[in-house]
Amino acid sequence: MTMNHEAALVVFSGGQDSTTCLFWAKKHFKRVVALTFSYGQKHVKEVELARAIAEKAGVEWHCMDVPLIGTLGHNSLTDSTMKMDEEKPEGHCPNTFVPGRNLFFISIAAVFARERGIFHLVTGVSQTDYSGYPDCRDAFIKSLNVTLNLGMDEQFVIHTPLMWIDKCQTWALADELGVLELVRHDTMTCYNGVQGDGCGHCPACKLRNEGLRKYLAQKGATEQI
Ligand code: ZN
């Protein structure tokens, strides 16, 4: 199969990070395809928002139904009877961690991309603000990249534009890409399913809003959140 250097596939959840990555990819690649996973997350709205953002961005969008990933391991993002950890517990992952999520998502994305002659994969994982999720770390992504190449005898490149930047810098990047407002209002990062600035008190909102507050202050914006 011939390699397409001009196309990239973005693992796209419709949250702040992957939306920023979607526009990053649009800047760096001629053709961008977004792939969203429906894995039994409590907030199905996530998938609808992802579709709407992809449409606004003018990129080809696909959604893949993989409920197995949400039920395989016990976690509070797919199990509504579980109380979500608000803070990172000492010594282990918070229960918002979906075991294997990035492993499966990126592996499926690689096969999906390969079918379309695409070998550049983009994911919004970040080691800087990784919330204790081991599958957001750089060593894991590099290792998976090698594994995918060995497993399919291909030359995939996994791009992680947010790996070494924090939430404040991620907002700066969105602004630089001209999509600060879109990312702020159209995405959903909140664990309680509230679009935009979110519920304000879940761990995802705290991280996101702290970053935004810091970025707006740096920018000298008078707006409050
Ligand atoms: Zn929230």
Side-chain angles (χ1 to χ4, degrees):
M1 192 173 289
T2 54
M3 190 182 290
N4 188 343
H5 291 285
E6 299 189 329
L9 182 130
V10 181
V11 179
F12 183 56
S13 71
Q16 176 195 357
D17 294 341
S18 64
T19 301
T20 305
C21 285
L22 187 74
F23 286 93
W24 177 90
K26 274 193 62 157
K27 186 181 165 188
H28 291 93
F29 295 91
K30 273 199 180 136
R31 178 175 167 230
V32 175
V33 175
L35 179 62
T36 300
F37 292 101
S38 168
Y39 61 98
Q41 59 270 58
K42 283 183 241 169
H43 309 295
V44 194
K45 199 170 111 192
E46 229 177 83
V47 174
E48 265 317 293
L49 292 176
R51 189 193 53 75
I53 296 165
E55 197 179 307
K56 261 195 192 177
V59 306
E60 185 184 326
W61 180 77
H62 298 267
C63 182
M64 196 169 275
D65 206 19
V66 287
L68 172 73
I69 292 162
T71 53
L72 213 49
H74 204 208
N75 70 87
S76 65
L77 291 193
T78 55
D79 182 348
S80 48
T81 64
M82 241 169 121
K83 192 183 175 307
M84 184 175 64
D85 283 337
E86 297 260 322
E87 303 293 334
K88 184 181 174 321
E90 203 65 45
H92 59 92
C93 291
N95 65 16
T96 49
F97 175 57
V98 182
R101 182 168 52 178
N102 284 333
L103 171 68
F104 292 126
F105 284 6
I106 297 167
S107 302
I108 294 170
V111 178
F112 186 92
R114 182 181 177 276
E115 284 301 307
R116 288 156 180 79
I118 301 173
F119 295 90
H120 290 276
L121 308 173
V122 184
T123 166
V125 296
S126 170
Q127 177 153 340
T128 311
D129 279 337
Y130 78 115
S131 310
Y133 300 162
D135 60 353
C136 289
R137 293 182 291 197
D138 190 54
F140 164 70
I141 297 294
K142 289 214 164 69
S143 151
L144 181 59
N145 200 151
V146 172
T147 298
L148 292 172
N149 290 350
L150 290 172
M152 286 181 264
D153 202 10
E154 299 287 3
Q155 290 298 316
F156 290 102
V157 181
I158 305 180
H159 300 266
T160 53
L162 312 183
M163 185 58 82
W164 304 111
I165 66 176
D166 64 13
K167 277 283 182 281
C168 173
Q169 293 165 301
T170 304
W171 284 112
L173 177 59
D175 202 7
E176 192 188 308
L177 294 165
V179 289
L180 180 69
E181 290 305 308
L182 185 150
V183 173
R184 181 168 176 189
H185 300 295
D186 291 14
T187 65
M188 186 175 82
T189 311
C190 176
Y191 289 150
N192 291 311
V194 183
Q195 188 180 339
D197 290 341
C199 75
H201 58 79
C202 75
C205 279
K206 277 187 198 158
L207 199 61
R208 171 177 163 138
N209 292 347
E210 248 164 54
L212 182 57
R213 231 170 265 132
K214 196 173 150 197
Y215 178 65
L216 290 177
Q218 265 178 26
K219 212 187 156 187
T222 49
E223 194 188 350
Q224 299 283 314
I225 58 154

